[in-house]
Amino acid sequence: MNATSTGALLLCRADPETVRPLAHLLREQMLLTRAGGEWSVLVPEGKPWRGTGPGGGDPEPVDRVLGGWATALAVGSTWPVLALWWDGDRAGYTLAAGFRRTVGYIWLADGTPVGEDEAMRTFAARLGLDPVLDLQALEELTRPDPESDAEARLRGLLAVLTRTGLALPPGLGPGESADRLRTVAGVQRGAERIEWAGWRDAVRVELDAVEAGSLGPWVRGPRARAIAAAQLAAGLPLLLWGVRRRSGGWAAAGAVLLAQGALGLAYHRAREAAERS
C-alpha cells in the first residue's frame, strides 16, 4: 500500500432498501449498492479524512471517521455494520452492532497484527460465524505472516464473510483508492447516490421506508384510517363513562384511544399534505 491508496467501505448486513433511510441521516454523500444476498455496501464520495468533507476542517484518521459512521448506522438499526479502511500505514476494521461497544482490529502496512485476539472472537460471535472453522480462519489473521500485508489480511477477513452471503463487486475491495472505489460503485447495477437534502426530506425518506415495510398497512391507508376511526369511536364513550363513574383507569384508557385515533388521522393528513408540497 502507499499514501495514495487510502480507501474505506461500510458493509451493512441488510438490503439497500433497508439501509437507505439511515444512510441519509449520516449527512454524507455516498454510493449505495448491493453486496450479496444479505449485504449492502456504502462507498464515500468525499474524503473527510483529508479535511475535504462538508465545510472542510482539519483531517481526521480514516479509521476514526469510519468508526463514527458505523456506530451511527448501527445504533439506529437492528443489523451490524462493518467499516473497512486502509491507508499508507495501516488497515483494519470496526464492527458496530446496536448499542454494544464497537470491536476492531488493526494491521500495519506490512501485515503485522497489532490488535487483540479477543476482538476476533467477539467479531465472530456478533456476526454469527462458525465458532470453530470460521474462528480458526480469523485467528490465523492475528498471527505473524511475512508473506501477508495489510491488504491480504483484509481480503482474508472478507473471504470468511463470504460464508454469510457477502459478495463485493470486482474492484470494490481492500487496497483500492477512494477514487477507484467510487468509480466502481457508481457503475454497479442498481447503485444509487445518497446525499443529505435536509431534515424534512430525511424524515420523509424514513417514513416512506416504514410505510413500504410490513407495518405499512397499519400506519397509512384504508386499514390505518379504519383503525383510527374505531379508536375515536370507542375512546369517546369510554372516556365519558370513566368520568361519570369517577374511574381514573377507564377514563385514561378512553383518553389514550382518543389520542391514538386523532394522531392516526392527523398523520395520514400530514403525509398527504407533504406529498402535495
Side-chain angles (χ1 to χ4, degrees):
M1 294 188 188
N2 53 57
T4 63
S5 64
T6 302
L9 297 171
L10 283 169
L11 306 179
C12 306
R13 200 170 186 179
D15 57 51
E17 290 74 19
T18 303
V19 173
R20 184 190 306 113
L22 285 176
H24 276 278
L25 300 181
L26 289 179
R27 304 178 68 174
E28 297 285 343
Q29 292 184 339
M30 296 190 177
L31 289 166
L32 171 65
T33 190
R34 189 173 293 277
E38 300 181 12
W39 292 82
S40 302
V41 58
L42 285 162
V43 179
E45 287 201 276
K47 302 171 186 175
W49 48 86
R50 293 185 180 178
T52 57
D58 295 330
E60 289 188 79
V62 63
D63 57 323
R64 187 180 303 172
V65 173
L66 267 289
W69 288 346
T71 300
L73 286 172
V75 165
S77 67
T78 58
W79 27 268
V81 182
L82 177 63
L84 299 182
W85 54 269
W86 53 92
D87 59 23
D89 301 316
R90 305 175 303 157
Y93 72 78
T94 300
L95 176 66
F99 287 93
R100 289 180 287 186
R101 182 177 62 86
T102 60
V103 61
Y105 202 90
I106 296 174
W107 295 272
L108 300 183
D110 63 2
T112 301
V114 292
E116 298 180 2
D117 293 348
E118 181 61 31
M120 285 299 188
R121 289 189 284 273
T122 304
F123 177 87
R126 290 186 182 175
L127 289 178
L129 302 177
D130 188 289
V132 179
L133 297 178
D134 290 341
L135 183 56
Q136 182 179 359
L138 290 173
E139 288 179 337
E140 286 292 328
L141 301 175
T142 68
R143 301 189 178 104
D145 183 353
E147 298 183 358
S148 294
D149 60 10
E151 180 182 333
R153 301 286 195 171
L154 284 182
R155 286 201 303 267
L157 184 81
L158 292 172
V160 175
L161 293 181
T162 59
R163 300 169 194 170
T164 68
L166 176 67
L168 282 171
L172 209 61
E176 300 290 352
S177 68
D179 292 334
R180 169 66 176 165
L181 294 173
R182 183 176 64 249
T183 299
V184 172
V187 298
Q188 299 303 310
R189 182 178 180 182
E192 56 183 299
R193 177 169 280 101
I194 302 294
E195 55 186 338
W196 177 249
W199 282 111
R200 181 176 180 180
D201 286 342
V203 172
R204 181 179 297 180
V205 169
E206 181 76 17
L207 293 175
D208 287 341
V210 173
E211 292 176 4
S214 59
L215 295 178
W218 304 98
V219 174
R220 186 182 177 195
R223 187 181 300 177
R225 287 197 301 272
I227 291 174
Q231 289 172 326
L232 288 173
L236 181 58
L238 188 59
L239 173 62
L240 296 175
W241 187 84
V243 170
R244 286 199 300 268
R245 295 295 185 94
R246 296 183 179 179
S247 172
W250 288 112
V256 169
L257 283 173
L258 276 174
Q260 288 179 334
L263 285 173
L265 293 178
Y267 172 83
H268 188 273
R269 290 169 183 164
R271 289 291 280 156
E272 286 186 335
E275 290 178 352
R276 289 194 297 269
S277 63

